[in-house]
């Protein structure tokens, strides 16, 4: 029998030009750029272009991509109706996004065209549609009318505008842009792998991206930042109630949670055995965002919680090398921008959509069915027993 590698840990199944995750050195490279270099400077559309074309766009190319994405923000009415109904039924935001995303292909003018150009166009339609779907769902959940996309605004700014109906300030837009760039791609993470598996059967790009949304929803992948922030809020509340300092409350909370066998959200990673470099990029973005703000206590308290949780994990699980992951600082950045915790996972999807589409295009070029095997541990040679004899 062949060796079993549970969770496919450490298995390399394809080549990619899109990103490299070095889990021992704590380095992330996106399209050739260190994440620290790219994420805080680029516009989301520039990184999207980089992933699709393996180079940065010229000014004219960037303007053309932005204009193209703007045209694609208007989704079929049935997709709007689906996310609004999902909100009425209080469904999970990622379920709403999954439903809406699958209906975007009704706008496809050449649904049977499998050329690279047609797939690129399909991918861009999904990237452009995600903010519309999420914002429409969110406003319906609040009992508010949908806000039409703003053709004056670029991708990140338009998302914030569609959520609130007001133009966001420059600091919030920059922080969101940095966040979307930071999470746009990350090797063969579970959702990207799911997308590649689907399209490796020569299925279509939309099916692959809809499948990826489902994979991202889980709390071990894209569902972690909401609970990570709730943890900080709970520790703050306890410290207020018990008139203790955050540090000792965080230590006690972490020890109890680990003692119960809980997973602490925002910590640990399958590949990174040192600090996730995305956590540092987002820490800097959060520090900039909260600088001089009245509510900066949440940022300071979160840093104290992080230190205490890491220390508690090291005491309880020595040698496991559990470090802060991207989700911990995602929570702070997205909270600082003013997003509710319910929006954290779908906002991750808005960023990751660019990576998903680029990986799907790469997989289509590779054209190799992904099909691992399982070791059978059931019985053999059972004899059929007719119903009356069971
Ligand atoms: N809290 C408590 N213990 C942890 C944590 C954590 N966050 N992460 C790992 N461990 C422990 C496990 O309990 C296990 O302990 P044991 O050896 O005593 O049984 C040990 O560390 C190894 O854990 P594994 O499950 O083998 O590690 P794996 O590589 O499968 O886990 C994962 C990676 C799923 C991300 C894990 O660290 C986790 O559950 N973290 C919390 C959820 C989270 O933050 N997810 C976001 C990840 S980033 C992203 O997807 C964008």
């Amino acid at each position: 029998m062949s060796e079993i590698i549970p969770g496919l840990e450490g298995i390399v199944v394809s080549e990619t030009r899109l990103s490299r995750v070095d889990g021992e050195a704590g380095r992330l490279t996106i399209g050739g750029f260190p994440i620290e270099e790219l994420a805080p400077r680029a516009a989301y559309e520039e990184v999207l272009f980089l992933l699709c074309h393996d180079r940065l766009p010229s000014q004219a190319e960037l303007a053309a991509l932005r204009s193209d994405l703007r045209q694609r923000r208007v989704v079929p009415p049935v997709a709007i109706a689906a996310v609004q109904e999902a909100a009425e039924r209080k469904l999970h935001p990622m379920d709403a996004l999954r439903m809406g995303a699958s209906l975007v292909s009704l706008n496809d003018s050449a649904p049977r065209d499998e050329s690279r150009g047609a797939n690129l166009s399909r991918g861009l339609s999904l990237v452009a549609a995600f903010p519309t779907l999420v914002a429409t769902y969110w406003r319906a959940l609040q009992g508010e009318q949908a806000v039409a996309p703003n053709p004056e605004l670029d991708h990140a700014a338009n998302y914030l505008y569609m959520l609130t109906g007001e133009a966001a300030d420059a600091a919030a837009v920059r922080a969101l842009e940095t966040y979307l760039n930071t999470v746009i791609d990350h090797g063969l993470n579970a959702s990207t792998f799911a997308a590649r598996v689907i399209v490796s059967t020569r299925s279509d790009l939309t099916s692959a991206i809809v499948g990826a949304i489902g994979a991202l929803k889980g709390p071990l992948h894209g569902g972690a930042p909401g609970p990570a922030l709730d943890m900080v809020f709970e520790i703050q509340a306890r410290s207020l109630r018990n008139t203790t300092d955050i540090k000792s409350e965080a230590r006690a909370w972490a020890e109890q949670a680990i003692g119960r066998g809980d997973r602490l959200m925002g910590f640990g990673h399958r590949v990174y055995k040192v600090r996730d470099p995305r956590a540092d990029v987002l820490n800097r973005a959060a520090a900039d965002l909260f600088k001089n703000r009245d509510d900066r206590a949440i940022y300071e308290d979160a840093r104290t919680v992080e230190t205490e949780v890491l220390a508690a994990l090291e005491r309880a699980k020595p040698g496991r090398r559990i470090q802060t992951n991207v989700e911990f600082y995602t929570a702070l950045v997205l909270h600082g921008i003013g997003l509710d915790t319910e929006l954290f996972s779908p906002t991750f999807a808005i960023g990751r959509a660019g990576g998903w589409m680029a990986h799907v295009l790469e997989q289509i070029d590779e054209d190799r069915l992904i099909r691992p095997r399982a070791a059978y541990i059931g019985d053999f040679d059972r004899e059929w027993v007719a119903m009356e004899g069971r």
Side-chain angles (χ1 to χ4, degrees):
M1 195 166 65
S2 353
E3 191 195 354
I4 299 174
I5 312 288
L8 296 178
E9 192 165 346
I11 301 292
V12 177
V13 298
S14 57
E15 293 182 330
T16 181
R17 286 191 167 277
L18 303 172
S19 61
R20 175 171 189 258
V21 183
D22 182 340
E24 285 298 330
R27 284 180 60 194
L28 171 60
T29 304
I30 305 266
F33 291 88
I35 191 67
E36 301 77 11
E37 174 89 5
L38 187 70
R41 295 199 171 107
Y44 181 75
E45 294 91 329
E46 287 179 285
V47 187
L48 180 64
F49 187 100
L50 171 68
L51 291 186
C52 293
H53 302 285
D54 200 25
R55 61 178 175 83
L56 289 175
S58 67
Q59 208 166 356
E61 286 166 333
L62 178 61
L65 175 60
R66 283 181 156 151
S67 145
D68 187 16
L69 288 171
R70 281 177 195 158
Q71 319 275 325
R72 296 173 190 269
R73 287 176 187 158
V74 178
V75 303
V78 65
I80 294 291
V83 296
Q84 286 175 330
E85 177 146 0
E88 225 166 86
R89 291 170 183 241
K90 308 254 178 294
L91 298 187
H92 193 289
M94 292 296 279
D95 293 341
L97 180 60
R98 166 176 53 74
M99 292 171 196
S102 68
L103 294 163
V104 168
S105 55
L106 287 171
N107 270 355
D108 201 333
S109 56
R112 304 279 171 151
D113 183 350
E114 282 305 328
S115 64
R116 184 177 167 91
N119 279 319
L120 189 64
S121 161
R122 249 165 238 141
L124 292 177
S125 289
L126 282 162
V127 168
F130 274 25
T132 303
L133 296 169
V134 175
T136 304
Y137 161 87
W138 180 248
R139 290 189 64 86
L141 199 67
Q142 316 304 310
E144 311 258 18
Q145 288 290 318
V147 170
N150 185 336
E152 303 290 307
L153 299 175
D154 296 328
H155 195 64
N158 174 63
Y159 173 45
L160 295 179
Y161 171 80
M162 290 188 76
L163 284 171
T164 62
E166 285 163 22
D169 64 50
V173 175
R174 182 59 256 174
L176 178 62
E177 202 106 62
T178 299
Y179 168 70
L180 297 177
N181 294 342
T182 301
V183 299
I184 192 166
D185 196 39
H186 201 239
L188 271 201
N189 59 89
S191 56
T192 300
F193 182 58
R196 287 188 79 132
V197 169
I198 292 171
V199 84
S200 82
T201 69
R202 296 192 184 166
S203 178
D204 64 291
L205 179 140
T206 303
S207 298
I209 289 185
V210 170
I213 295 171
L216 187 70
K217 177 186 171 191
L220 298 191
H221 191 7
L229 189 66
D230 291 342
M231 168 180 70
V232 180
F233 283 142
E234 194 185 323
I235 292 168
Q236 275 187 326
R238 278 211 209 181
S239 130
L240 215 61
R241 222 174 26 243
N242 301 337
T243 55
T244 48
D245 61 289
I246 288 282
K247 188 173 152 66
S248 46
E249 208 53 68
R251 182 188 168 121
W253 187 94
E255 280 172 355
Q256 272 172 18
I258 297 167
R260 279 194 308 268
D262 291 357
R263 292 271 168 141
L264 305 189
M265 296 294 143
F267 299 91
H269 197 274
R270 175 58 67 79
V271 182
Y272 291 119
K273 298 305 166 202
V274 295
R275 197 174 157 83
D276 184 334
R278 300 170 299 173
D280 285 332
V281 172
L282 294 184
N283 178 16
R284 279 193 284 279
D288 283 349
L289 199 55
F290 281 100
K291 195 170 51 195
N292 305 326
R293 269 175 44 169
D294 294 342
D295 61 348
R296 69 181 172 279
I298 182 77
Y299 173 74
E300 309 292 348
D301 289 349
R303 302 231 40 198
T304 307
V305 168
E306 180 193 10
T307 308
E308 292 307 311
V309 166
L310 288 174
L313 282 167
E314 184 51 35
R315 279 194 301 275
K317 295 181 181 275
R320 307 298 200 291
R321 303 205 283 162
I322 306 169
Q323 294 290 332
T324 313
N325 67 42
V326 65
E327 303 289 41
F328 188 79
Y329 282 100
T330 289
L332 277 179
V333 170
L334 297 187
H335 174 71
I337 290 169
L339 302 192
D340 192 276
T341 49
E342 283 265 296
L343 282 168
F344 290 1
S345 299
T347 304
F348 188 170
I350 288 172
R352 186 56 59 88
W356 289 336
M357 76 166 275
H359 272 274
V360 166
L361 294 173
E362 213 176 49
Q363 184 65 43
I364 291 172
D365 288 345
E366 186 173 315
D367 195 23
R368 178 79 184 154
L369 177 69
I370 300 174
R371 203 293 190 196
R373 290 163 55 190
Y376 177 69
I377 54 161
D379 286 342
F380 288 98
D381 300 328
R382 283 178 165 167
E383 274 184 27
W384 176 254
V385 180
M387 186 57 82
E388 54 279 14
R390 286 179 214 165

